[in-house]
Amino acid sequence: MSDPVLEVRGLTKRYGAVEALKGFDLTVGRGSIYGFIGPNGAGKTTTIRIVAGLVRPTSGEVRLHGVDLRRNRLAAARGLRTLVEVPAFYPGLSGRQNLTIFARLSGADDADVKRLLARVRLEHAQDRRVGGYSLGMRQRLGIAQALLGRPDLVVLDEPMNGLDPAGMHEMRELIREENRERGVTFFLSSHLLDDIQRLCDRIGILHKGRLVAEGRIDDLLSSAVTGFRLRCERPPDALAALARALPEAKARLDGDGTIHADGDTAVLPRLHHALLAAGHPVVELYPVRASLEAYFLDLTEGVMG
Ligand code: ATP
């Protein structure tokens, strides 16, 4: 990767007898939206807390813009914003006052505060005490805080937590736009695989403290072909021929007249051959890929820690 913003190398973390992180590498390139997923207890929050400087790793290295976090924390963390759990605010102050305080600390100006309050749809509530905000409102204020002052890398732990469906939609839009328009790189954990699939260009799957898959979602899923949809003339005859020649493909007819056959890419030449030999050339063909959810479940249930 030409310009990594975050690099993790051989990261381990022990809590007494619990080995939360077992030594893994991970790279987040500048300009990407990276989804960090894994089942409960996989070690996502531990990783994020280490990157945020809240927890010390047992061993391994975290580099931000090439700078070692342990050696030079201040320089490494420049341009880094993290939002871990529900952020702490001054409950007696308004949303705008809270953001203004953080803006002073991060070198942002009042225009940025105004822009972000509007961006997270808290304009109407900006002068109310944060103590009276709902969980979702505090979460949105937290995102606004994380985006103050043009950060390079924003690390979000479960950013959709506490948001209603409209709030989740707005959050996705916000992340997309800040990424596209302002070049902000995002590293976010989530249990919502649909969201990850819609939002992220790269993912890492953590399972029992190890990274079991990493890469572009398209590339990962392209290796996860589970079958094919084929179109032939005279589908019932073609189906019967295929069932005779290749019973293991469990061929069946779909409602749209295509034949659905199970199998990965290794089966494809045999499918073609069986149909052609029976006088049914394939006129259209579409691979059927596993969803991210199926891919995720397959990996995380099949790998023992
Ligand atoms: P979830 O999806 O449930 O939030 P996670 O992937 O974020 O899970 P972590 O919270 O990082 O997982 O936990 C990884 C492992 O480390 C778990 O076994 C957890 O019990 C353990 N762990 C985390 N924090 C501590 C701690 N402070 N003390 C002891 N064990 C801990």
Side-chain angles (χ1 to χ4, degrees):
M1 198 162 299
S2 56
D3 188 10
V5 177
L6 169 64
E7 294 166 277
V8 165
R9 296 287 172 259
L11 197 63
T12 73
K13 177 67 188 175
R14 278 185 167 282
Y15 292 107
V18 178
E19 217 183 340
L21 304 179
K22 295 178 181 153
F24 67 88
D25 299 349
L26 174 154
T27 307
V28 179
R30 187 175 297 281
S32 61
I33 304 179
Y34 188 108
F36 192 42
I37 57 182
N40 289 138
K44 304 178 298 295
T45 300
T46 301
T47 306
I48 286 179
R49 293 179 77 91
I50 290 173
V51 172
L54 301 171
V55 168
R56 274 179 176 277
T58 304
S59 66
E61 209 176 79
V62 175
R63 289 179 168 270
L64 289 153
H65 330 278
V67 181
D68 189 328
L69 191 61
R70 280 222 265 206
R71 294 227 178 103
N72 193 346
R73 189 168 161 75
L74 267 185
R78 199 166 354 102
L80 166 74
R81 294 299 164 70
T82 51
L83 183 59
V84 185
E85 286 137 23
V86 179
F89 290 108
Y90 299 106
L93 300 184
S94 71
R96 189 169 47 77
Q97 287 167 327
N98 267 283
L99 270 200
T100 304
I101 291 170
F102 289 109
R104 299 282 180 271
L105 296 173
S106 58
D109 56 19
D110 289 345
D112 213 20
V113 170
K114 196 164 184 281
R115 178 185 82 84
L116 284 164
L117 280 167
R119 205 57 208 78
V120 299
R121 306 219 193 292
L122 282 176
E123 268 172 321
H124 65 288
Q126 61 179 329
D127 293 319
R128 277 167 46 194
R129 289 173 59 250
V130 167
Y133 277 18
S134 69
L135 177 64
M137 290 164 80
R138 260 179 284 161
Q139 189 75 348
R140 282 188 275 158
L141 192 62
I143 294 287
Q145 180 198 321
L147 290 168
L148 279 169
R150 274 192 182 270
D152 279 348
L153 171 65
V154 174
V155 176
L156 306 171
D157 195 16
E158 295 286 347
M160 308 296 173
N161 261 3
L163 299 181
D164 60 17
M168 288 188 197
H169 175 77
E170 283 166 13
M171 181 69 80
R172 279 199 302 273
E173 289 298 301
L174 176 63
I175 291 174
R176 259 190 217 117
E177 285 175 20
E178 292 289 316
N179 172 258
R180 204 172 41 223
E181 291 166 16
R182 292 158 60 90
V184 179
T185 305
F186 286 89
F187 179 76
L188 51 103
S189 77
S190 178
H191 285 117
L192 304 170
L193 299 183
D194 269 0
D195 270 329
I196 291 281
Q197 192 160 9
R198 273 189 268 180
L199 194 56
C200 299
D201 42 15
R202 292 182 76 86
I203 54 166
I205 301 183
L206 196 68
H207 184 46
K208 297 185 179 174
R210 291 199 170 89
L211 205 70
V212 292
E214 192 191 27
R216 286 176 44 81
I217 297 183
D218 289 349
D219 292 342
L220 293 174
L221 294 187
S222 74
S223 65
V225 171
T226 59
F228 297 92
R229 281 174 48 228
L230 313 153
R231 196 176 288 283
C232 297
E233 314 254 315
R234 293 177 289 122
D237 297 344
L239 177 69
L242 193 57
R244 272 195 305 275
L246 265 185
E248 66 272 28
K250 302 195 186 79
R252 61 251 180 218
L253 208 53
D254 277 348
D256 64 354
T258 55
I259 295 171
H260 188 128
D262 289 347
D264 57 18
T265 45
V267 169
L268 189 55
R270 282 155 56 214
L271 283 174
H272 262 300
H273 182 260
L275 284 164
L276 200 58
H280 299 284
V282 176
V283 293
E284 277 178 53
L285 174 109
Y286 314 93
V288 178
R289 299 185 202 292
S291 65
L292 180 59
E293 182 179 62
Y295 180 75
F296 173 85
L297 290 176
D298 189 41
L299 269 181
T300 54
E301 284 174 5
V303 178
M304 303 304 288

